Amino acid sequence: MEEYPEELRTPPVTLASLVGCPELHSLISTHFMSAQPPINTLALPDVSKIIYLFNNKTDSDPTPTAPSPLVPGIFKRDWLLKHRTKLPAILAALFPSHHLTGDPAQWQQLCSDLDSIKAVIRGRNIKFAVVVVVNDNVDEISEDRMIALRKRAEVDAKYVIVLNPNDAANLKLSLHRMASTFSELAVAYYREEGRRVKQRIEKKNVNSVELIVRYCFKVAVYAEFRSDWPEALKFYEEAYHTLREIVGVTTRLPAVQRLVEIKTIAEQLHFKISTLLLHSGKVTEAVAWFRQHKNAYKRLVGAPEGTFLHWEWMSRQFLVFGELLETSSKTTQGFAPIILSTSSKPLCEWEYYPAYYYQLAAHYLSEKRSVLELAISMSETNNEIDSVVDSVVPSVYVGQFARLLEQGDNVDMLPLTDEEYICYAVSEGKRFRDSLEIIALLKKAYESYSSIKIMRMSSFCGFQMAKEYFAEGDIGNAKQILDTIASLYRKEGWVTLLWDVLGYLRECSRKVGAIKDFVEYSLEMAALPISSDTGVRRDIGLAGPANLLQREIVHNEVFELVNGDSGLATNERINNLKITEGESLQLEVDLVSPLRLVMLASVSFHEQTVKPGASTLITISLLSRLPLTVDIDGLEIQFNQSNCNFLITNGQKSQLVEVSDGIQQHRTEIAPSLSLQSNKWLRLTYDVQTDKSGKLECLSVIAKIGSHLSICCRAESPASLDSLPLWTLGDFVQTVPIKDPILVLSGQKSTQVEEPDPLVDLHLGASGPALVGEVFLVPVTLVSKGHDVYSGELKINLVDVKGGGLFSPRDNEPHAMDSHHVQLLGISGPEGEDDSQLDSDKIKKIQQSFGLISVPIIKNGDSWSCKLEIKWHRPKPIMLYVSLGYSPYSDELNTQTVHVHKNLQIEGHNAIVLYHQYLMPFRQDPLLLSKNKKASESDHSESLPLNQKNVLVVSAKNCTELPLRLKSMSIEVEDNAERTCSIQHGSEELANPALLVPGEEFKKVFSVSSNKNKSKLSLGTVCLRWRRDLGVEEQCATTSTLSWVVTKQKLPNVNLELPPLIVSFECPPYAVVGDPFTYYIRISNQTQLLQEIKYSLGDAQSFVLSGYHNDTIYVLPKSEHILSYKLVPLVSGMQQLPKFSMTSVRYSAAYQPSNSSNSVFIFPSKPHFKATVSTNSRVESVVNL
Amino acid sequence: MIVCVAVVGHQNNPLFIQSFTEADDALKLHHIVHCSLDVVDERVNNPKKSGPMLNETFLGLLYPIENYKVYGYLTNTKVKFILVTTDLDVKDADVRNFFRRFHAAYVDAVSNPFHVPGKKITSRTFAERVSTIVKSFGFSSAG
Amino acid sequence: MPPVAPRSGDAIFANVERVNAELFTLTYGAIVRQLLTDLEEVEEVNKQLDQMGYNIGIRLIDEFLAKSNVSRCNDFRETTDVIAKVGFKMFLGVTASVTNWDADGTCCSIVLEDNPLVDFVELPDNCQGLYYCNILSGVIRGALDMVSMKTEVTWLRDVLRGDDVFELQVKLLKHVPEEYPYKDDE
Amino acid sequence: MVREVSESCVDSLLTEMVSCYCNRFYVNKPELAARRIEAIGYQVGHQLSERYTMERPRFTDHLEAIKFICKDFWSELFKKQIDNLKTNHRGTFVLQDNKFRWLARMSVDPSTDKVSSVEDNTSPTAENKAAQSMSMHLYFPCGIIRGALSNLGIPCAVSADISNLPACSFVVRIKAG
């Protein structure tokens, strides 16, 4: 597109010419440029210059005057340019206002100027406008002056424009008016011009088709000037079609040049048309148009000697259209190509891609190049033509050339003969390096395709590009592109294409003497699955024909090379590839390498696991797809445990293969034969043995071939072997690397070596169930029997047997520590070895349920022990896992560890169950209303009478199977809670810890009284100090050494209420048969209200009594009523007093006193007491109350 | 006349490719076939462009290149048949008919127990059948 | 001559349950291929095919006798004839012919033009030693065994190996004319 | 006209194939035998699907392909269609054949146990031998279905369920991706 003249590439712009007032020109022209539509200005300082502007035109335009019957050319080369730069549509004369208003002389001058201008533009209907430049206020130009001016200038009023550069306000406005006026005039001008030319076409008397073409072109251009695109398109197309008719008709020029001219014109018209189409967004039309353009001229090759011109032209067509398409697709992005499947020749997606056109442009250019080269080789011509060639120049007409002939000072143009022209063209052609151009085109295509992920197409372009690079000797670029392409062809298995690419790559590496690359490419080629002839016979690339024979040739060549055979020296193709002695070449073959075809190693252990020191079988299977049998000198099998590496040498080869350093000490097997036949598994089975535990994996198999080459194949497991490239062998039944049907499916290249049996005993000496709360000690003992223990480590794990997990955030605990049900508190080293020292040098990690502690070196036969401290917060069984990991050897290299595991389930029990009860004062019963309600209500919390002395009995029961020692029992109140009641009891500590045998209870009595008026009473927490009974050493064990376990239990809150009535009984502590005593029943009314009481006293056969059996009484507020009875006991022994029952009418609460409180002991006769001191702890604490 | 036919596997690997030209452009034809796979992908991946012939095995004209026309066919088993011809105006009917017969031949070829699915077709019988189909191209429906 | 004329193979074939031959052909092909992958050695495969054929043969003979109401035939010549004419037809839907009798009537050839087993089949180059249809020879051997004729069946011609027809040579080794167990069933 | 052979050919061939792999090659490695039998079925299914999808537009989705298996494919093989197709719309399909021909034939086939006696008398009791060989037989049709589907571009796993004979249902689990 660049080679087109600018005037052709861009749409034409109106041209206006300004005369006079040069100081304003720049101002005006800049404004016009930015106006819409823009206007180019042609500025003339003063009228005198007009003459020069136009007179040259007068003689250089014969067309209107004498239409010669034979037109020398179709388009004038300069016509378009002229109309854009020289020939204005409007001429505007600028006059300063004072020329109108000033003295007559100035007016005269003005008039004469006007006349001369009119003289010039007379005949050609250039539009005329007058601009009056006012410097100060406008109004001083009198109306009649203006009219006079208009008369003189013969212009319509609206074409006289007043411009005042000084008043900024109106300047813009007036300039704008000026622009619009001008463009209006211009449109008129171009329309008239166009109509004029059109008339010529319409009246059919135009005798030459050339002229019609020219006229159509002009009309179109004029239409473009006034941006009437549809018309422009219409006439360009008309011109184009008419032109097509000329072909073969006209005989104006010699054949070749005639064609050249026509094609050039066609090219311009086509360019215009497709530009217009694309700019109006008609992509599909444009593409269709291009297709027909291409088809119309494709066959017009013309005379054989000029063929290259045709190809060049074609190439340019594609290139230009491609560029147009690209630019337009940039502007109007995302057009969706719809395939017009209705039409007979549907467009297809590809014709919408610029890359498609670049590709073909390149294609034609290479066509051109080949033809041109031919032409050049033939055109060894006489030098008189050559002299002509130098003087050839483009002629006046587009697409024509002439030779310039200077005689003295007058120059004239002579027509060329075709022969001369061809010579000229050829010599021109010589000046260009087509291959660079071709590369550029292909690059555009390549990149454009790959940018829209059309990989195959782009690869194809890339390949051609690479070939060009190669031809140019730019090996670097060539190789780089070829490599990327090769990978695609590999991936999709296009063997023939790959073969070709590899052929080039191979030559590239040959050229730069990259021997490793050369060998790799060669081997890959040789291994390609090309068995039958692929039909690619001729047009073979550097690779030669793709067939078995050629593969074998390549195979032989490369193996001769690596074997350093002297025979190669003669072969000059390979002279810059040499392997010097001692130099070795190692190829790596991994899962992704293309060389996987060349050699593939599948390795399978016969067992999944092995005992250390025991030997297991391993099968190494090699497969090669090279066309010929390869004789391997030695195989080197490498494992992750290098001491297992071994070497297999070829029995037939006498000379010893040198092995890569560090292998010598390893064993060497001798295989009868190591010849690797094409497509046949070479299977070798040997045994390996290791005493190092852990994973034993075969890493790689290195095949040594000849003195230089070694191929290192990554070992693969047969189980995962199916990932071979997808093109591998079509015409063979697939074979498996191993015969054994199981190994084929499951064989692995690695095996697990078990660790040696441990020779250390691990004892967990735990005794009985643990008690909740106490620190439970589990002694761990290590006894070494046969192994020394180095860098030993104990791991301890506590696991909930029920699997519930030891950590339970769900139940919210008052003590954070209780969030663990069972907790590993610590690990105490063996006696004598104290923690601090143990901490200092050894690891010791303790978490809630996990512990890690390092074990010192234990010599064979020695033992070591420590204690685990575990605390239960909940009664639940746990599983204790203890595992010892150690290494039997002191040296750091051999870091193989042996493990011993032990586990033990430990029950956790509650040691002590606490419960409590409340007692009333003796023979006194408050009436607690809540008691009566109890039945109905669900509230089971106890209630106590307000400001009465109450008795609390707390008892602790030993529910274990072993005796416990009790230190103390007390009730503690949380510090924060204010004391709501007073609790008295005896000394915290018991004088000497009480022994509590299993199942036995320990009771302690507290007296509780509350006077504060509170409904609820929080009593605090019972807190019990205890420990296991140590039996024998109980005595010697002083309290200081032994830690006491503290068991706490919060007492439930109790309700307090004021009893309205309190009944208390009074009678002597004992009575004697026969002699009477008084039995008082005291009913005290605690309330402010009068209480009506119904009571009754039942009969009792063991007593005779006097007094009312039942009655109703009234007890006054805050006072008490006493009933007194005389009783005479009749029977001795513990006797029930007569049963008393009463009902409070107010509360409708019936009420019986508890039986316990109303029985009395009757002696048969008067007893005699002696006071004694009891030591019984229980009595004592009662007395305490 | 038909210059090249090819069978391409669902991984775009060539299963069978045969050119029928005396001209020395076999390799070029291989390239053309390979490139045409891009068009097939395009057609299959956004069927809206290919309009009515959605899911039809016959893909129609893939793309025109200098002097060649390339036609495509995609079986239910994602196997592609590519046909390259030099004829300028080809009847769709002929191409369809060609592919139909070609498909039948292909099916018999892959029914050979020794044919490994997804691997090259090396059957001679297939090659022969193909060349007869190719020879008879155009006549079947023309007359 | 047997009292009841044996029904013609076509008649029987028309009446038996028939299935699409493709399934049969492809299945057999798949089996052969699998055997080749598992056993690798062509000779092994031949042996296995023959063995399979034998097992099938000793089973099919019942159905054959039942359907074809061929009364038990003691004469070797007659038997082979029935197998060729009726047997092949009623099972494979193809007819075979018996030729090349030797002088003492203990050896002949069964010739097959057509054979559903080999539709679509082409032997790969590296399987040339394979007797693809070896199962047939096995079947015949097995069937004849059950009518107490010890035979040896070998391939003389094989279309897959480029011959024009299949030719099986059946050689009678020894004929044990004692009652064979199936008498009681009838 | 489509070529045909007697059904007993196919049946005896299958029976023999199964017993060959179960009782001769992999006597006490049933899982290996199963693999082989499945592989054979796979190849057959692969080839048949190629054959039976000729002349028909490409399937747009999995369901279409499955339906094809249930209808045309099945009737080509068994002269009947799958009786019931269920799916969970998450890639699992259950194809039920109320009277699966190959099993039906097998169970009535009197020669099965005789075969076993011919091959090895060390075999366990006849009926669980039959059950075992029946499940072995099923690897073949499973392979066929898998082969057919994977050739249609649907990688999947197929298992058979004979909990209620003679009905047999094949469970197809399509592999994601």
Side-chain angles (χ1 to χ4, degrees), chain C residues 156-181:
Chain C
L156 297 186
R157 284 187 289 173
D158 185 337
V159 172
L160 290 182
R161 299 167 160 221
D163 303 322
D164 47 356
V165 293
F166 295 91
E167 180 173 352
L168 274 163
Q169 186 184 55
V170 186
K171 180 185 250 97
L172 179 65
L173 297 180
K174 81 183 227 287
H175 183 193
V176 205
E178 93 283 0
E179 298 296 308
Y180 51 91

Side-chain angles (χ1 to χ4, degrees), chain A residues 324-335:
Chain A
L324 285 178
L325 205 53
E326 194 166 15
T327 44
S328 76
S329 68
K330 277 202 197 75
T331 53
T332 67
Q333 64 278 52
F335 58 88

Side-chain angles (χ1 to χ4, degrees), chain A residues 210-321:
Chain A
E210 281 89 344
L211 282 183
I212 300 183
V213 176
R214 177 187 298 171
Y215 293 154
C216 292
F217 178 71
K218 289 186 173 179
V219 175
V221 173
Y222 287 132
E224 269 199 284
F225 266 114
R226 38 178 236 271
S227 49
D228 173 353
W229 313 121
E231 166 132 339
L233 189 58
K234 174 158 164 291
F235 276 89
Y236 280 129
E237 288 185 357
E238 179 148 3
Y240 182 92
H241 293 309
T242 330
L243 180 70
R244 190 69 181 74
E245 295 164 11
I246 300 181
V247 181
V249 177
T250 169
T251 56
R252 186 164 30 84
L253 288 168
V256 173
Q257 300 178 59
R258 187 191 315 153
L259 209 50
V260 169
E261 182 186 23
I262 289 173
K263 281 183 192 162
T264 320
I265 304 293
E267 184 174 356
Q268 290 197 358
L269 292 172
H270 162 67
F271 174 76
K272 277 294 184 187
I273 292 165
S274 30
T275 319
L276 285 173
L277 284 174
L278 286 173
H279 281 340
S280 49
K282 303 193 179 118
V283 181
T284 311
E285 289 80 347
V287 171
W289 170 267
F290 176 82
R291 180 191 266 187
Q292 74 87 22
H293 170 60
K294 173 195 74 184
N295 294 338
Y297 284 88
K298 197 163 143 198
R299 304 249 176 282
L300 283 184
V301 184
E305 61 270 31
T307 322
F308 66 93
L309 293 169
H310 176 66
W311 295 132
E312 186 174 21
W313 184 84
M314 284 296 277
S315 162
R316 197 163 56 248
Q317 303 310 298
F318 279 93
L319 168 60
V320 168
F321 189 73

Side-chain angles (χ1 to χ4, degrees), chain A residues 290-555:
Chain A
F290 176 82
R291 180 191 266 187
Q292 74 87 22
H293 170 60
K294 173 195 74 184
N295 294 338
Y297 284 88
K298 197 163 143 198
R299 304 249 176 282
L300 283 184
V301 184
E305 61 270 31
T307 322
F308 66 93
L309 293 169
H310 176 66
W311 295 132
E312 186 174 21
W313 184 84
M314 284 296 277
S315 162
R316 197 163 56 248
Q317 303 310 298
F318 279 93
L319 168 60
V320 168
F321 189 73
E323 287 171 334
L324 285 178
L325 205 53
E326 194 166 15
T327 44
S328 76
S329 68
K330 277 202 197 75
T331 53
T332 67
Q333 64 278 52
F335 58 88
I338 4 83
I339 292 141
L340 320 161
S341 47
T342 53
S343 79
S344 61
K345 290 199 176 66
L347 297 174
C348 72
E349 309 85 338
W350 252 233
E351 298 177 76
Y352 290 85
Y353 297 139
Y356 171 73
Y357 298 91
Y358 298 144
Q359 187 183 353
L360 289 172
H363 163 76
Y364 283 114
L365 200 54
S366 48
E367 292 274 325
K368 176 235 172 177
R369 178 179 53 182
S370 48
V371 184
L372 179 61
E373 276 158 3
L374 198 68
I376 291 172
S377 62
M378 289 181 346
S379 71
E380 296 320 318
T381 51
N382 44 0
N383 35 20
E384 56 97 3
I385 292 188
D386 292 348
S387 62
V388 170
V389 164
D390 316 334
S391 60
V392 171
V393 293
S395 82
V396 188
Y397 290 96
V398 176
Q400 288 187 25
F401 294 84
R403 64 187 276 210
L404 207 55
L405 199 60
E406 293 134 352
Q407 276 124 354
D409 52 0
N410 71 334
V411 179
D412 57 1
M413 298 218 171
L414 303 184
L416 290 170
T417 67
D418 269 356
E419 189 187 17
E420 292 166 330
Y421 176 72
I422 294 289
C423 290
Y424 163 74
V426 169
S427 64
E428 284 295 298
K430 281 186 196 151
R431 302 205 350 260
F432 296 105
R433 300 265 316 273
D434 285 325
S435 50
L436 298 186
E437 183 57 27
I438 293 172
I439 290 178
L441 288 171
L442 288 169
K443 203 175 181 61
K444 279 161 96 71
Y446 176 69
E447 281 156 1
S448 164
Y449 273 134
S450 37
S451 70
I452 44 177
K453 299 276 167 297
I454 298 186
M455 293 329 290
R456 303 182 186 84
M457 291 279 187
S458 72
S459 303
F460 182 46
C461 300
F463 186 33
Q464 291 164 313
M465 195 159 91
K467 281 182 187 165
E468 292 295 336
Y469 274 130
F470 185 81
E472 286 291 306
D474 182 348
I475 303 300
N477 274 321
K479 183 175 184 312
Q480 183 229 339
I481 300 169
L482 288 169
D483 275 326
T484 54
I485 300 168
S487 62
L488 174 69
Y489 291 161
R490 278 194 202 104
K491 188 166 126 280
E492 299 190 338
W494 281 75
V495 178
T496 48
L497 305 186
L498 183 56
W499 170 269
D500 205 22
V501 174
L502 287 175
Y504 274 92
L505 280 168
R506 188 159 166 266
E507 294 313 315
C508 287
S509 49
R510 196 202 293 276
K511 271 198 165 46
V512 298
I515 187 152
K516 188 160 185 289
D517 293 353
F518 180 80
V519 172
E520 286 186 350
Y521 291 134
S522 305
L523 285 176
E524 186 179 359
M525 281 176 81
L528 284 183
I530 303 171
S531 50
S532 53
D533 193 330
T534 53
V536 182
R537 274 166 227 80
R538 280 163 285 164
D539 94 317
I540 47 179
L542 302 169
N547 57 29
L548 189 55
L549 176 64
Q550 191 64 23
R551 280 174 60 201
E552 291 172 356
I553 293 170
V554 173
H555 177 108

